[in-house]
Amino acid sequence: MLDIDAVHTYYGESHILHGVSLALAAGEAVAILGRNGAGKTTLIRTIVGFTPPRRGTVTFGGRAIHRQTPYRIARLGIGLVPQGRRIFAPLTVTENLLLGAGRGGGPGRVGGAGRPGGADGRDAGVFSRERIYALFPRLRERGAQSGGTLSGGEQQMLAIGRALMTNPKLLLLDEPSEGLAPRVVGEIGRVLVGLKGEGLSILLVEQNVPLALRVADRVYVMNKGQIVYHGSPAELDANEDVKHRYLGVS
């Protein structure tokens, strides 16, 4: 579904990504781990078109997207949960969700590939506000409340819900556990595991190693703009040298 090949990305003259390559198959969850400054967020920005690469290619569903504008990339079916949540604080929870539904990338894979569509021809697994409320019941309770008055955990739930309302084929999450209480992190992990089980493709950028190992089928580790490790969650969990050297886990 997603193929990143030898990508080099710059901010001005600062060379951030140095030949990064990775792949993600349909229905797979892949985690990218690394410390602050490793280049993880820059990789997300490269995929969605905010910071296009100077060299290398990004292919989504067999189509080159590294020269596309961000809104065209989103319409192809890539949903983004950005670092820092970036909800629309003056808008209500309901309005934030409806904004996500305004122009989605087409039916996602949730509900299973090949599942018959509904009366309007769309996949039976598309997201609605009711599905989002089922995933995050607290958002239903806060429906008329402005986004800026929500707790950090509720804002993160809203950011995930807004991205899902675009019915993405691929969901990108940039540090979704950042600054959240362990209980909320556990709830978000439960939702992501459930979405993966339903067939949604997920690319998760994280510093929270336990969360990433819980959600992912495969794990990449970044350091100084390069991929320095790739393996299964079990392989990474057993590799004390990589965890200590690149993730600060002892």
Side-chain angles (χ1 to χ4, degrees):
M1 174 171 283
L2 179 70
D3 186 66
I4 300 168
D5 185 30
V7 157
H8 293 258
T9 300
Y10 293 70
Y11 292 126
E13 295 307 310
S14 298
H15 193 174
I16 307 300
L17 300 185
H18 301 262
V20 171
S21 297
L22 62 85
L24 181 148
E28 186 178 32
V30 168
I32 303 173
L33 290 164
R35 302 186 193 215
N36 281 333
K40 306 184 303 299
T41 292
T42 300
L43 180 58
I44 292 290
R45 292 178 58 86
T46 297
I47 294 169
V48 300
F50 293 161
T51 312
R54 290 194 190 174
R55 302 199 305 276
T57 60
V58 180
T59 305
F60 178 64
R63 177 175 179 172
I65 63 171
H66 54 281
R67 294 291 178 259
Q68 296 278 358
T69 57
Y71 80 90
R72 292 188 183 277
I73 292 171
R75 288 180 178 179
L76 291 174
I78 296 181
L80 173 65
V81 181
Q83 186 176 27
R85 299 144 200 164
R86 299 196 179 268
I87 60 154
F88 296 95
L91 301 183
T92 67
V93 167
T94 297
E95 288 167 340
N96 269 274
L97 293 176
L98 290 176
L99 192 64
R103 186 67 183 264
R109 295 190 178 275
V110 176
R115 182 173 169 177
D120 61 355
R122 292 169 66 83
D123 189 323
V126 298
F127 282 94
S128 64
R129 272 188 295 160
E130 285 304 312
R131 284 204 73 195
I132 301 304
Y133 292 153
L135 291 174
F136 300 115
R138 269 181 284 177
L139 295 183
R140 184 193 300 275
E141 300 167 7
R142 309 284 194 272
Q145 197 169 320
S146 64
T149 65
L150 301 180
S151 69
E154 291 164 347
Q155 288 186 6
Q156 189 61 272
M157 294 172 192
L158 181 56
I160 295 171
R162 181 183 59 187
L164 290 173
M165 286 288 285
T166 69
N167 289 305
K169 300 172 185 173
L170 171 62
L171 182 65
L172 308 182
L173 302 104
D174 192 357
E175 304 279 9
S177 74
E178 186 177 39
L180 301 184
R183 177 179 55 81
V184 179
V185 173
E187 186 172 351
I188 289 173
R190 172 188 59 79
V191 168
L192 294 180
V193 169
L195 292 172
K196 181 184 74 168
E198 294 176 358
L200 182 63
S201 305
I202 296 171
L203 183 62
L204 171 67
V205 162
E206 261 299 341
Q207 291 190 63
N208 186 316
V209 175
L211 174 63
L213 297 184
R214 177 184 175 190
V215 172
D217 299 303
R218 291 186 298 113
V219 181
Y220 292 86
V221 177
M222 290 189 69
N223 185 58
K224 297 180 179 178
Q226 297 179 306
I227 301 292
V228 294
Y229 179 84
H230 170 224
S232 70
E235 289 168 339
L236 176 60
D237 196 35
N239 195 320
E240 298 299 330
D241 180 60
V242 169
K243 290 193 296 183
H244 177 72
R245 182 182 304 182
Y246 299 116
L247 303 176
V249 177
S250 57

